[in-house]
Amino acid sequence: MGYLINNKVGAILYNLIHTYTLAILVIICGLLLSSQLVLALGLILSSHIGMDRMVGYGLKYPTNFKDTHLKRV
């Protein structure tokens, strides 16, 4: 959705969601709150990030959606 505004905002939002820090915080919250839903969401997010990295999608640069820290997609 951020890419509808511009590349910089899109890259910031994409990178914010696609870092393990957020996934780990969600998992910890799920454990502390004893919430299976929150824990599951954190694990799903972590898996999603791992699969993205496995196929070569990395964190985005603000220059273009296809420019990532791993390679140009």
Side-chain angles (χ1 to χ4, degrees):
M1 296 297 290
Y3 279 98
L4 294 175
I5 298 170
N6 64 36
N7 283 346
K8 184 176 181 179
V9 172
I12 290 170
L13 291 176
Y14 181 93
N15 293 340
L16 180 67
I17 294 171
H18 286 84
T19 57
Y20 282 110
T21 305
L22 179 63
I24 291 169
L25 289 174
V26 173
I27 290 169
I28 290 171
C29 286
L31 291 171
L32 291 175
L33 299 172
S34 297
S35 173
Q36 291 182 349
L37 176 62
V38 175
L39 179 60
L41 291 174
L43 292 172
I44 290 168
L45 179 59
S46 179
S47 298
H48 172 82
I49 295 167
M51 286 186 277
D52 277 359
R53 299 295 189 279
M54 184 175 64
V55 296
Y57 295 118
L59 298 175
K60 305 296 183 189
Y61 289 124
T63 54
N64 190 333
F65 181 78
K66 294 183 177 188
D67 294 337
T68 72
H69 82 288
L70 296 175
K71 65 179 183 178
R72 181 162 171 82
V73 182

